[in-house]
Amino acid sequence: MAKSPATSATEGGELPPALPDAAAEHARLAHEIRAHDKRYYQDDAPTIDDAGYDALRRRLQALEAQFPELKTPDSPTETVGAAPSDAFAKVRHAVPMLSLANAFSDEDVAEFIARVRRFLDLKPEQELPVAAEPKIDGLSASLRYEKGRFVRGATRGDGAVGEDVTANLRTLGDVPDRLTGDDVPDVIEVRGEVYMSHADFKALNERQTEAGKPVFANPRNAAAGSLRQLDPKVTSERPLRFFAYAWGEASAVPAETQKGMVDNIRRWGFVTNDLMEVLGTAEELIAHYHAIEEQRARLGYDIDGVVYKVDSLALQRRLGFVSRSPRWAIAHKFPAERATTVLEAIDIQVGRTGSLTPVAKLKPVTVGGVVVQNATLHNEDEIARKDVRVGDTVVVQRAGDVIPQVVEVVLDQRPEGAQPYAFPTVCPVCGSHAVREEGEVVRRCTGGLICRAQAVERLRHFVSRGAMDIEGLGEKQIEAFYEAGDVREPADIFTLKVRDAQPGKLTRLKNREGWGETSAANLFAAIEDARTREVNRVLYGLGIRHVGEINAKRLLRHYVTIEALRDAAKAATPPDPGVRGDKGDDAWREMIDIDGVGAVVAYAVVDFFQEPKNAAPLNALLNELTPAPMPAAASNTPVTGLTVVFTGALERMTRDEAKAMAERLGAKVAGSVSKKTDLVVSGPGAGSKLAKAKELGIETLTEDEWLARVGEGG
Ligand code: IVH
């Protein structure tokens, strides 16, 4: 595909401050996080410290907040951990094992409390007790008890499916075989953290050394490696402990508060953490955090922060979840570490949309236990603002917005003769001019199709997991096909088999280095399979700026086929900035009116389809495909697929809460009533929207009727 021309802020009027190629950065971060997840959860051998990892996730979240279309169902922000290893039987968690959102500053904590209060619409005089407890740095496990007996134990895995480590968990002294008490629920999954104490860790490593075996990097790795042993006997020789702090499926929850339930779990036979306290305000939480931080070194086990949980279970239920974490809890992490090192060079990476991103090449330095060699420098303006020069000694941080990050230059250590950095004005890959459009911070290569970096990145994106998902066609293979001239644009992938079979056309795949009969056949089969990929994945695969997986779906929910979207985009005329009050033509307005789309996305879509260079490659591609329709939105609830409008004052829930509930149940929430509205839920004081609904003959419900319909009344 040809490069979609960048839309400048002056044209769009409301473009966000351009991030250095948000989509490319998103893909890079997601890839990096997944790789870290695998090393952490499956291999028990992380190569990054927690603060660094958190910063990567935060960066991804920030990007997704700014460009929601980048958020995909398989984004690391939507998933937890990594898929379970094949070495163990798999256990599907009856209640998913989720993760926690993070807070890194006092302001984040205050904002969390404010957000919760807003969501619940609490009056200033209403109290909000919150339980605060250490965040144990181990690995979480879920222990299922039926009629008081321990029947199954599992790791978190990817949150939905974990590994069956029952036999290993049985060897832990802190895991009771039987629960005691007359109020033990028939079914209860007790959840908590498996960890190793500092003393036990030290002794274990000494034993490992004596036995000539590798030592563990930290107690967490030691705990994870020990729990995920194939032979329970090995686990039994490892001193693992368990703190219980939560629960999953439960036939009864005989408590009204988090603290109350944790006290029950303790009574039934578990060890729980003594440092849990129920507090009333953000200030008190922060004070407790510092008190725990002060004791951190003396606790005898690793913690990496403090977890705050809304104490009332009724309020927890109302707050519910947002993607991978509960709205009612947050982890307040301890701060990250910094180090100084020498910046040896500045590399320029070229992304899919031609963005030039500067990367600092550092003299390797250990920050928070991990060796850092690369750090982002964000963009040209950031380099100038910090006046970063090659040869400088710089402060590197493994937390904050981007990780690792060059924070500042140590000026008094600047070598003599160090020159200000001159950002390249030509693409380091193809030599084309690299230009900055008005209002953009990113400099982009203008090479489009002729720029190898862009073409390869685009092809890689096209075959990637969320897009066409062609197995056997990874980064290396795409590059090789590109270099050989066999695949230059997406359609070429689908003609590869025919060309391969024609004598003399190209070197037979099975005869190429790294390929054989079977792998070639597998690749061709995977390519055939991709011809019927869902249409939304094809659109996403085109790599149009701002069209991530979510926006691809939004657009196709409306236009259904790529052809219809293309025709609409070609017909659309955006507003003329020279004409006051111009709103663009009907086709344009139809597009920006799609829920969640708006002008930024519409400009990118229109630019892409109106770009003459894109027409032929796109047609060639569409000729090769028979895309399957987009899968239906959500599962079976009484309101799945309906468009709902809430109006008037709601009395049993806040507007945010109502919206979240409706979306959770697969409904779409709209702001205004139209022919497309299926249901209007109205409270006291509803005015014109209710009148319009009646006029259009749309079904209207009271708040109670709505709750009854969705089965959450009473
Ligand atoms: S509550 C639904 N409490 O942190 C939320 N988690 O980042 C369930 N963790 O997966 C988690 N100490 O492995 C909770 N006191 C604590 C914790 C804790 C450590 C871990 C746990 C979880 C991860 C979330």
Side-chain angles (χ1 to χ4, degrees):
M1 296 291 107
K3 170 173 162 335
S4 153
T7 309
S8 78
T10 42
E11 277 171 281
E14 52 169 290
L15 283 183
L19 258 162
D21 190 6
E25 188 173 3
H26 184 274
R28 186 185 61 72
L29 281 166
H31 176 81
E32 196 174 341
I33 291 170
R34 282 195 196 100
H36 285 309
D37 279 348
K38 182 177 174 295
R39 288 193 284 269
Y40 184 99
Y41 290 106
Q42 284 189 7
D43 309 342
D44 300 323
T47 54
I48 187 171
D49 70 353
D50 288 357
Y53 177 82
D54 287 341
L56 280 176
R57 285 199 92 101
R58 245 181 311 152
R59 177 75 188 128
L60 195 71
Q61 272 161 3
L63 265 178
E64 290 183 352
Q66 195 171 3
F67 300 104
E69 63 275 17
L70 295 176
K71 190 167 179 151
T72 62
D74 69 340
S75 161
T77 60
E78 300 288 300
T79 53
V80 178
S85 142
D86 288 335
F88 296 92
K90 295 186 174 54
V91 180
R92 178 162 290 279
H93 300 300
V95 174
M97 289 185 79
L98 297 164
S99 192
L100 294 168
N102 289 324
F104 295 93
S105 63
D106 294 359
E107 293 78 60
D108 289 351
V109 177
E111 172 48 31
F112 164 69
I113 295 298
R115 197 161 57 231
V116 167
R117 296 191 69 99
R118 244 187 344 261
F119 191 93
L120 299 169
D121 196 22
L122 296 186
K123 306 275 169 300
E125 66 277 11
Q126 280 175 287
E127 289 181 352
L128 178 68
V130 175
E133 68 199 54
K135 184 169 189 302
I136 316 298
D137 197 8
L139 70 156
S140 49
S142 184
L143 316 174
R144 187 177 176 92
Y145 288 79
E146 288 175 5
K147 302 226 178 304
R149 300 203 77 129
F150 178 47
V151 294
R152 196 171 318 110
T155 63
R156 179 167 68 173
D158 63 7
V161 177
E163 296 152 327
D164 187 334
V165 286
T166 311
N168 296 352
L169 282 165
R170 274 194 205 284
T171 68
L172 270 66
D174 292 345
V175 172
D177 221 19
R178 268 173 177 282
L179 300 184
T180 49
D182 48 19
D183 57 346
V184 175
D186 267 359
V187 175
I188 175 91
E189 287 175 2
V190 174
R191 293 179 174 176
E193 206 81 354
V194 175
Y195 68 101
M196 195 177 283
S197 74
H198 289 158
D200 289 339
F201 168 71
K202 193 162 162 269
L204 171 63
N205 266 354
E206 280 164 10
R207 289 202 302 276
Q208 291 282 110
T209 311
E210 269 166 35
K213 293 186 186 155
V215 295
F216 293 97
N218 56 49
R220 203 214 76 88
N221 290 350
S226 303
L227 183 64
R228 298 170 71 258
Q229 284 290 331
L230 291 175
D231 180 0
K233 203 169 152 282
V234 178
T235 309
S236 73
E237 289 158 1
R238 303 276 174 85
L240 294 178
R241 298 165 187 243
F242 183 80
F243 270 130
Y245 52 65
W247 58 99
E249 191 183 352
S251 55
V253 178
E256 287 181 357
T257 60
Q258 179 75 29
K259 173 88 166 62
M261 187 61 177
V262 169
D263 286 345
N264 286 339
I265 292 175
R266 187 200 313 245
R267 242 190 326 104
W268 297 335
F270 277 97
V271 181
T272 59
N273 196 286
D274 282 339
L275 294 173
M276 183 200 264
E277 264 189 46
V278 179
L279 301 158
T281 63
E283 292 70 33
E284 287 169 6
L285 293 176
I286 292 161
H288 191 50
Y289 166 89
H290 289 300
I292 290 180
E293 190 180 26
E294 197 273 320
Q295 297 174 60
R296 185 179 180 186
R298 298 190 300 274
L299 290 178
Y301 50 88
D302 275 353
I303 64 173
D304 56 347
V306 177
V307 184
Y308 307 134
K309 300 172 186 171
V310 169
D311 198 35
S312 152
L313 300 184
L315 294 185
Q316 287 187 5
R317 278 189 286 271
R318 276 181 64 192
L319 285 156
F321 297 83
V322 57
S323 62
R324 61 190 268 274
S325 34
R327 262 199 207 87
W328 45 264
I330 200 160
H332 190 180
K333 303 295 280 283
F334 293 131
E337 287 169 66
R338 291 179 165 198
T340 54
T341 187
V342 175
L343 182 133
E344 295 180 326
I346 296 178
D347 259 17
I348 302 288
Q349 287 173 358
V350 184
R352 189 173 85 221
T353 57
S355 57
L356 269 46
T357 306
V359 177
K361 296 281 154 184
L362 305 167
K363 182 156 176 254
V365 61
T366 308
V367 193
V370 172
V371 179
V372 174
Q373 304 197 55
N374 300 316
T376 180
L377 286 163
H378 302 279
N379 56 52
E380 187 171 356
D381 290 353
E382 277 299 295
I383 298 182
R385 192 177 65 77
K386 293 178 185 150
D387 187 19
V388 178
R389 304 182 184 189
V390 173
D392 271 343
T393 294
V394 292
V395 176
V396 185
Q397 181 178 285
R398 300 185 52 75
D401 266 339
V402 184
I403 275 300
Q405 199 180 8
V406 173
V407 185
E408 61 190 6
V409 173
V410 185
L411 277 179
D412 56 15
Q413 291 188 36
R414 171 164 286 168
E416 230 170 276
Q419 295 297 313
Y421 180 70
F423 204 89
T425 54
V426 294
C427 171
V429 175
C430 74
S432 300
H433 284 294
V435 299
R436 269 176 81 168
E437 293 197 19
E438 214 184 311
E440 289 232 334
V441 288
V442 187
R443 191 174 281 278
R444 287 178 204 277
C445 162
T446 55
L449 270 186
I450 71 141
C451 179
R452 191 186 147 275
Q454 288 186 56
V456 170
E457 285 302 313
R458 235 175 259 148
L459 285 165
R460 267 175 47 187
H461 170 75
F462 180 72
V463 300
S464 68
R465 234 175 64 194
M468 300 303 275
D469 192 14
I470 304 182
E471 216 181 301
L473 211 45
E475 193 172 330
K476 274 209 318 266
Q477 292 80 5
I478 283 285
E479 245 169 67
F481 281 128
Y482 186 89
E483 288 306 332
D486 296 334
V487 175
R488 285 288 158 99
E489 57 178 67
D492 296 343
I493 293 169
F494 297 95
T495 59
L496 198 60
K497 187 176 171 187
V498 172
R499 287 182 286 139
D500 191 70
Q502 284 167 358
K505 272 268 176 191
L506 34 81
T507 313
R508 297 294 306 261
L509 185 54
K510 61 179 186 187
N511 301 330
R512 294 188 200 197
E513 203 188 314
W515 294 90
E517 193 98 41
T518 316
S519 57
N522 286 346
L523 176 64
F524 290 135
I527 292 173
E528 284 316 300
D529 183 55
R531 285 187 200 270
T532 52
R533 270 304 164 267
E534 292 91 352
V535 63
N536 48 302
R537 295 172 54 161
V538 180
L539 177 61
Y540 167 63
L542 295 180
I544 302 170
R545 282 183 82 193
H546 305 309
V547 182
E549 284 168 281
I550 300 221
N551 277 344
K553 285 188 188 154
R554 286 175 175 150
L555 288 162
L556 289 168
R557 209 165 284 141
H558 188 83
Y559 294 104
V560 185
T561 65
I562 295 178
E563 286 82 351
L565 169 66
R566 173 193 59 195
D567 296 345
K570 284 171 85 169
T573 312
D576 181 342
V579 179
R580 271 191 65 170
D582 185 11
K583 296 216 168 87
D585 68 356
D586 284 353
W588 169 261
R589 283 202 304 276
E590 183 177 333
M591 195 175 300
I592 63 169
D593 278 349
I594 299 172
D595 225 25
V597 172
V600 174
V601 179
Y603 269 111
V605 170
V606 167
D607 283 346
F608 179 86
F609 288 104
Q610 292 191 357
E611 165 60 53
K613 279 189 278 179
N614 285 339
L618 178 66
N619 281 340
L621 174 65
L622 294 177
N623 274 336
E624 297 294 332
L625 306 178
T626 322
M630 191 162 68
S635 53
N636 249 346
T637 80
V639 297
T640 300
L642 301 188
T643 299
V644 184
V645 172
F646 291 95
T647 179
L650 299 178
E651 292 171 325
R652 294 183 50 187
M653 50 192 172
T654 62
R655 213 33 102 71
D656 282 346
E657 199 175 349
K659 185 163 185 269
M661 179 193 291
E663 286 175 351
R664 176 161 48 79
L665 297 166
K668 226 176 88 182
V669 178
S672 60
V673 176
S674 76
K675 277 183 291 187
K676 292 185 187 149
T677 310
D678 298 300
L679 261 186
V680 172
V681 181
S682 69
S688 63
K689 288 184 193 171
L690 185 57
K692 182 152 185 208
K694 296 215 162 115
E695 188 189 309
L696 293 172
I698 294 166
E699 185 182 6
T700 60
L701 297 180
T702 63
E703 191 179 356
D704 284 340
E705 286 166 346
W706 158 263
L707 290 170
R709 164 118 13 138
V710 300
E712 301 204 5

